[in-house]
Amino acid sequence: MQATPLQVIAGLYLFGPNLRAFAEIVAAAIFALTAFAFRHSHKVPVRGLVMCAIGFVIDAVATPPTAAGLAWARWVNGAALVLVSWGVIYMLLAIADAAAHRTRTHFSTILKDLLMLLSYFVVLIAVLTKDTHVDPTPILASSAVIGVVLGFALQESLGNIFSGLTLQMSHPFAPGDWVRCGSFVGRVQGIGWRSTSLVTRSNERLELPNSDLAKQVVINYSNGVVADEVMIGLSYSTPPNYVRSVILEALRSVPGILQNPSPDVHTWEYADYSIRYRVRYWMSDFADAERLHDTVSSALWYLLRRKSIEIPAPIRHLRMMPDEVTQPSIEAFERNILAELRQVDFLHPLTDEELKLLVPEVTVQKFGAGEAIVHEGDQGDSLFIIRSGVVEVAATNSDGQQVHIRDLTRPAFFGEMALMTGEPRTATVRASTDAELLELDHDGFSELFKTRPETAARIGEVIALRTTETHDLLAHTQRNDRARNRANWLITKMCAVFDLSLPHQPAS
């Protein structure tokens, strides 16, 4: 008996008719049992196994002499060959696709499906032509006509299919990536015939049409580290550099925030009732974005609360004018200022009544890190007392380069020589950190000297003695003579600057 096309391809033509039929039944049973055993598995191509099992059963039933004399035997044999061929194609493509996406939980199947349909069509035409002796020309012509009709009827669906192919070939994202398209954010599951599947943080499954996805801007958050940001409004009374240091301190303690790249804090906008800051930080996985956003916002609130930095609400603040300030407030301010002034060595000998003459002209100044307070060579008519922070004193050497002289902290002061003598500043003083200073200007000392002229001599002697001690450490000269000479020179300069006529010169 002549072997069927399937038996020839399977190599069973070497056996007798009965043995060939038995072998096909055994093969069908093996395929069927394997499909049943792995019916719940997504890794085994069960559909291909079932098609092979059915094909071998049909071919065994239609094998002569069982189907001898039956006209439909040839058609049944052709159908069996088609089914087994389709089953093998299905399994091969499924195995190849699984191997190519071994590390992916979900992947796109549109290209595999198109290849499978094309392979099915080629096998069907080949079997019809060779084994059933059917002319495929009318079928191909009819298919062309049907294809044109379907093309017009299914323009949107075909657009989705080709857009899906474009997305799959251009690789703007891969399964498992977090993406944003318009207002939708989710993790990519795969690209299908009609749409691309996303799963949101709320575990909602979104189906975005491929044609719409191909037209819109797609943001991919899975290119390594990714940034997120928080906008926060803080009080105008808090210096931006201090705010920056506090916020960076909070970000260093939040788990999940990368320190390389380091977080950024930018002064972003002067709003109606607050200064708005843009806080940007980095994470390794966008899936943690919402959790980190919550953690950062909470950590900032607690730390700002501890640091007494106000997060202002849109409410009105009534600020009393100076003439409306209560007497206890004025007295408390004076006590604080007097205590600060008392730390200056040349003001220490003055009485409280004399120091109070300076208080109305004292102003509190705040400088951010890196800001220059005074510049070398500028004319100066004020001195500064450090209340907090660190300032750097630098001067220009003979080579024209800025040289670090010293760092000053509370309760140091500077600028007294330029104030008292009217000479240019001899050094540049710059804030190394955020610093708060008391500034005493020319008018305050002018009032003091006119009211109490004898204080000018006492102040001049103290400044001269302190300056002489500094020079003696360097030059090893006689201190008393140099102090007397420097005091005379200094008091003379003070007379010129403050337009004074002193009753006596410093004692010899």
Side-chain angles (χ1 to χ4, degrees), residues 41 123 144 187 191 208 225 239 274 286 393 411 416 464 468:
S41 174
V123 168
R187 190 189 293 272
I191 302 175
L208 300 180
V225 297
S274 65
F286 187 75
V393 181
E416 71 282 1
T468 302

mmCIF file of all heavy atoms in Angstrom, residues 41 123 144 187 191 208 225 239 274 286 393 411 416 464 468:
data_model
loop_
_atom_site.group_PDB
_atom_site.id
_atom_site.type_symbol
_atom_site.label_atom_id
_atom_site.label_comp_id
_atom_site.label_asym_id
_atom_site.label_seq_id
_atom_site.Cartn_x
_atom_site.Cartn_y
_atom_site.Cartn_z
ATOM 1 N N SER A 41 0.404 24.791 31.697
ATOM 2 C CA SER A 41 1.700 25.444 31.610
ATOM 3 C C SER A 41 1.718 26.430 30.453
ATOM 4 O O SER A 41 1.204 26.147 29.364
ATOM 5 C CB SER A 41 2.807 24.394 31.421
ATOM 6 O OG SER A 41 4.050 25.027 31.209
ATOM 7 N N VAL A 123 2.134 26.635 3.715
ATOM 8 C CA VAL A 123 1.949 25.186 3.831
ATOM 9 C C VAL A 123 0.639 24.763 3.182
ATOM 10 O O VAL A 123 0.573 23.743 2.471
ATOM 11 C CB VAL A 123 1.977 24.772 5.319
ATOM 12 C CG1 VAL A 123 1.505 23.333 5.484
ATOM 13 C CG2 VAL A 123 3.391 24.917 5.875
ATOM 14 N N ALA A 144 -6.677 37.930 -3.023
ATOM 15 C CA ALA A 144 -6.292 39.317 -3.295
ATOM 16 C C ALA A 144 -7.496 40.237 -3.241
ATOM 17 O O ALA A 144 -7.442 41.337 -2.665
ATOM 18 C CB ALA A 144 -5.602 39.412 -4.646
ATOM 19 N N ARG A 187 3.667 49.822 33.595
ATOM 20 C CA ARG A 187 4.736 48.917 33.188
ATOM 21 C C ARG A 187 4.281 48.139 31.952
ATOM 22 O O ARG A 187 3.180 47.581 31.930
ATOM 23 C CB ARG A 187 5.068 47.944 34.323
ATOM 24 C CG ARG A 187 6.330 47.121 34.066
ATOM 25 C CD ARG A 187 6.478 46.029 35.110
ATOM 26 N NE ARG A 187 6.744 46.563 36.432
ATOM 27 C CZ ARG A 187 7.957 46.824 36.901
ATOM 28 N NH1 ARG A 187 9.026 46.626 36.143
ATOM 29 N NH2 ARG A 187 8.112 47.297 38.119
ATOM 30 N N ILE A 191 3.256 43.914 23.337
ATOM 31 C CA ILE A 191 2.620 44.542 22.179
ATOM 32 C C ILE A 191 1.791 43.486 21.466
ATOM 33 O O ILE A 191 2.315 42.454 21.038
ATOM 34 C CB ILE A 191 3.669 45.123 21.212
ATOM 35 C CG1 ILE A 191 4.545 46.133 21.947
ATOM 36 C CG2 ILE A 191 2.988 45.789 20.020
ATOM 37 C CD1 ILE A 191 5.681 46.666 21.099
ATOM 38 N N LEU A 208 -3.559 50.346 25.240
ATOM 39 C CA LEU A 208 -3.388 51.549 24.431
ATOM 40 C C LEU A 208 -3.275 51.162 22.965
ATOM 41 O O LEU A 208 -2.393 50.377 22.595
ATOM 42 C CB LEU A 208 -2.132 52.305 24.858
ATOM 43 C CG LEU A 208 -2.080 52.790 26.308
ATOM 44 C CD1 LEU A 208 -0.762 53.510 26.569
ATOM 45 C CD2 LEU A 208 -3.247 53.694 26.621
ATOM 46 N N VAL A 225 19.164 55.105 36.070
ATOM 47 C CA VAL A 225 18.644 55.959 37.143
ATOM 48 C C VAL A 225 17.685 56.983 36.560
ATOM 49 O O VAL A 225 17.828 57.417 35.417
ATOM 50 C CB VAL A 225 19.795 56.651 37.892
ATOM 51 C CG1 VAL A 225 20.680 55.632 38.572
ATOM 52 C CG2 VAL A 225 20.615 57.525 36.952
ATOM 53 N N PRO A 239 17.007 82.080 54.848
ATOM 54 C CA PRO A 239 17.962 82.212 53.729
ATOM 55 C C PRO A 239 17.968 80.981 52.834
ATOM 56 O O PRO A 239 17.936 79.849 53.327
ATOM 57 C CB PRO A 239 19.310 82.380 54.444
ATOM 58 C CG PRO A 239 18.973 82.858 55.815
ATOM 59 C CD PRO A 239 17.665 82.219 56.161
ATOM 60 N N SER A 274 5.563 82.824 49.485
ATOM 61 C CA SER A 274 6.672 81.929 49.827
ATOM 62 C C SER A 274 7.689 81.914 48.697
ATOM 63 O O SER A 274 7.400 82.325 47.565
ATOM 64 C CB SER A 274 6.158 80.504 50.069
ATOM 65 O OG SER A 274 5.625 79.960 48.863
ATOM 66 N N PHE A 286 11.964 53.222 38.857
ATOM 67 C CA PHE A 286 10.814 54.125 38.832
ATOM 68 C C PHE A 286 9.614 53.540 39.556
ATOM 69 O O PHE A 286 8.696 54.275 39.927
ATOM 70 C CB PHE A 286 10.438 54.449 37.381
ATOM 71 C CG PHE A 286 9.379 55.501 37.252
ATOM 72 C CD1 PHE A 286 9.681 56.828 37.467
ATOM 73 C CD2 PHE A 286 8.071 55.160 36.926
ATOM 74 C CE1 PHE A 286 8.705 57.809 37.356
ATOM 75 C CE2 PHE A 286 7.089 56.129 36.810
ATOM 76 C CZ PHE A 286 7.402 57.460 37.029
ATOM 77 N N VAL A 393 38.901 85.594 55.496
ATOM 78 C CA VAL A 393 39.634 86.824 55.192
ATOM 79 C C VAL A 393 40.734 86.481 54.188
ATOM 80 O O VAL A 393 41.539 85.570 54.421
ATOM 81 C CB VAL A 393 40.250 87.443 56.461
ATOM 82 C CG1 VAL A 393 40.988 88.732 56.110
ATOM 83 C CG2 VAL A 393 39.179 87.699 57.508
ATOM 84 N N PRO A 411 33.037 85.481 68.428
ATOM 85 C CA PRO A 411 32.500 86.855 68.320
ATOM 86 C C PRO A 411 33.458 87.799 67.610
ATOM 87 O O PRO A 411 33.586 88.964 68.001
ATOM 88 C CB PRO A 411 32.338 87.230 69.792
ATOM 89 C CG PRO A 411 33.530 86.578 70.446
ATOM 90 C CD PRO A 411 33.794 85.309 69.688
ATOM 91 N N GLU A 416 37.072 97.595 61.308
ATOM 92 C CA GLU A 416 37.158 98.771 62.183
ATOM 93 C C GLU A 416 38.175 99.787 61.676
ATOM 94 O O GLU A 416 37.982 101.003 61.829
ATOM 95 C CB GLU A 416 37.482 98.348 63.620
ATOM 96 C CG GLU A 416 38.891 97.833 63.861
ATOM 97 C CD GLU A 416 39.107 96.413 63.415
ATOM 98 O OE1 GLU A 416 38.150 95.803 62.892
ATOM 99 O OE2 GLU A 416 40.234 95.915 63.581
ATOM 100 N N ALA A 464 44.672 100.633 68.593
ATOM 101 C CA ALA A 464 46.103 100.749 68.326
ATOM 102 C C ALA A 464 46.885 99.671 69.058
ATOM 103 O O ALA A 464 47.826 99.074 68.505
ATOM 104 C CB ALA A 464 46.590 102.136 68.735
ATOM 105 N N THR A 468 49.053 96.797 67.312
ATOM 106 C CA THR A 468 50.488 96.732 67.603
ATOM 107 C C THR A 468 50.894 95.348 68.062
ATOM 108 O O THR A 468 51.955 94.831 67.685
ATOM 109 C CB THR A 468 50.854 97.762 68.679
ATOM 110 O OG1 THR A 468 50.481 99.065 68.215
ATOM 111 C CG2 THR A 468 52.348 97.742 68.960
#
